[in-house]
Amino acid sequence: MAEIIQKDGTWVFDGDRLRLTPGHDKNVSPLRKDLGELAVPLEALAGVSFEQGKKNGRLRLRLRDGADPLLLATAGRLAEPHDPYQLVVESDRYGVAEYLVDEVRNALLLEQVPGTPVDAFLLPGPAVPLSVSAGDGSASFDGDVARLEWNWKTEDAKSAAGKRQLAIGDILGVEWQPAAGLENGHLRFTVRGAVTKAPPKYDPNAVELWGFKKDPLMALVAAAVQARLPHPARGAADAVPAIPSATPPVTGDDHDAMLRRLRELGELHRDGVLTAEEFTLAKQAILKRL
């Protein structure tokens, strides 16, 4: 077993998984504290590294693409202080950090864990229920329904729509974007039958974020919802079955079946299940057979 204890947190590796526990220091991000301990299975890891600095070093984990709903929902936009897969290491513990890296790397080699993307989540996402208030509203999620409520700072055009209750079956996607420079951030839900290009300021399915302390906590809501949506790597494959490139001649029955399939694809595209690119590729494959 390898273990490193720091003010920033504690990492323990037992050969099968890494347990990441945030520290209690005042400088530890509220997001990491609310997220709590993470148990990362070895098969979810793509790599680990340690970078030395003059005063402090930093341990970094790299997860396989698609393994964690938090990383998927935030798409690389979490700043270093909020990233649960980094640990600040004091200079007198550099040797321990390097030992932990060696142990994890040896285990990855021994178990022959590939660094390739996965098609199913290997981490469960944040625990529910949870609720966060930031920006122009609050967002909560109980595992089945996401609820949005507005405050006195919400634009009238959006607050007039009232409280929002979005069943998980009606949510097609979720995105968290932090504020950057003069651009505000947001937590936005893509909802079946209600796709909009309106800015988050006016979108009743989005909370606008202004760059304050609690903004990163909205990423937890996004991750909890993402964990209960179909995995993106499997969604397209499930929605559009692969069509062989070499097929027998088309009969009358096949012709009618493919026309029906084209209509079905059009409906999936209109409902937002398929992206424009996915719809075009599937349609072209069918038209080639026709």
Side-chain angles (χ1 to χ4, degrees):
M1 185 177 77
E3 178 183 61
I4 182 167
I5 302 173
Q6 295 289 274
K7 293 179 181 178
D8 195 39
T10 298
W11 286 16
V12 180
F13 179 59
D14 63 7
D16 294 319
R17 66 189 63 245
L18 259 169
R19 296 193 178 276
L20 316 179
T21 306
H24 299 290
D25 189 74
K26 64 180 181 179
N27 294 323
V28 176
S29 160
L31 181 149
R32 290 176 57 207
K33 288 181 178 179
D34 283 13
L35 186 59
E37 181 182 277
L38 290 175
V40 184
L42 186 65
E43 60 267 25
L45 294 178
V48 59
S49 64
F50 175 60
E51 303 166 1
Q52 293 189 14
K54 292 182 178 180
K55 294 184 178 180
N56 296 310
R58 191 175 294 269
L59 277 167
R60 299 179 190 268
L61 286 183
R62 185 166 56 88
L63 271 62
R64 296 171 68 185
D65 289 344
D68 180 23
L70 175 63
L71 296 185
L72 190 61
T74 55
R77 293 185 286 263
L78 275 178
E80 281 190 349
H82 309 302
D83 188 342
Y85 301 112
Q86 298 190 29
L87 182 72
V88 176
V89 179
E90 297 167 14
S91 58
D92 63 344
R93 305 298 286 171
Y94 283 1
V96 178
E98 290 169 345
Y99 173 71
L100 184 141
V101 167
D102 289 341
E103 289 293 293
V104 173
R105 286 177 176 170
N106 289 338
L108 288 171
L109 289 172
L110 183 64
E111 297 298 328
Q112 297 184 337
V113 177
T116 53
V118 297
D119 62 1
F121 293 122
L122 301 180
L123 286 95
V128 295
L130 56 84
S131 180
V132 179
S133 295
D136 68 350
S138 61
S140 61
F141 183 59
D142 61 9
D144 296 310
V145 179
R147 295 176 173 83
L148 302 179
E149 299 185 29
W150 314 116
N151 56 39
W152 64 272
K153 294 169 283 189
T154 310
E155 285 289 326
D156 292 342
K158 183 159 75 171
S159 61
K163 299 177 182 178
R164 303 290 289 160
Q165 295 195 50
L166 309 175
I168 191 66
D170 293 328
I171 298 174
L172 301 176
V174 60
E175 178 189 59
W176 173 81
Q177 173 77 51
L182 299 177
E183 295 293 326
N184 291 334
H186 61 261
L187 170 73
R188 190 200 292 269
F189 296 95
T190 302
V191 180
R192 192 183 308 277
V195 178
T196 177
K197 294 183 179 179
K201 184 176 184 177
Y202 303 107
D203 184 356
N205 295 320
V207 176
E208 186 180 37
L209 305 174
W210 301 318
F212 296 136
K213 185 176 180 179
K214 289 188 176 181
D215 285 11
L217 295 177
M218 283 289 183
L220 298 180
V221 178
V225 172
Q226 184 71 69
R228 289 157 178 81
L229 295 177
H231 195 283
R234 303 182 65 178
D238 293 342
V240 188
I243 298 174
S245 56
T247 58
V250 177
T251 67
D253 289 341
D254 288 339
H255 188 279
D256 291 340
M258 283 188 284
L259 289 177
R260 288 196 299 272
R261 184 57 178 152
L262 279 173
R263 287 194 292 270
E264 291 170 1
L265 289 171
E267 292 172 359
L268 290 171
H269 181 225
R270 286 193 296 273
D271 291 341
V273 176
L274 296 180
T275 65
E277 182 180 3
E278 291 166 348
F279 171 68
T280 300
L281 290 173
K283 183 177 69 174
Q284 289 174 348
I286 292 176
L287 291 177
K288 284 180 180 178
R289 290 197 62 191
L290 289 172

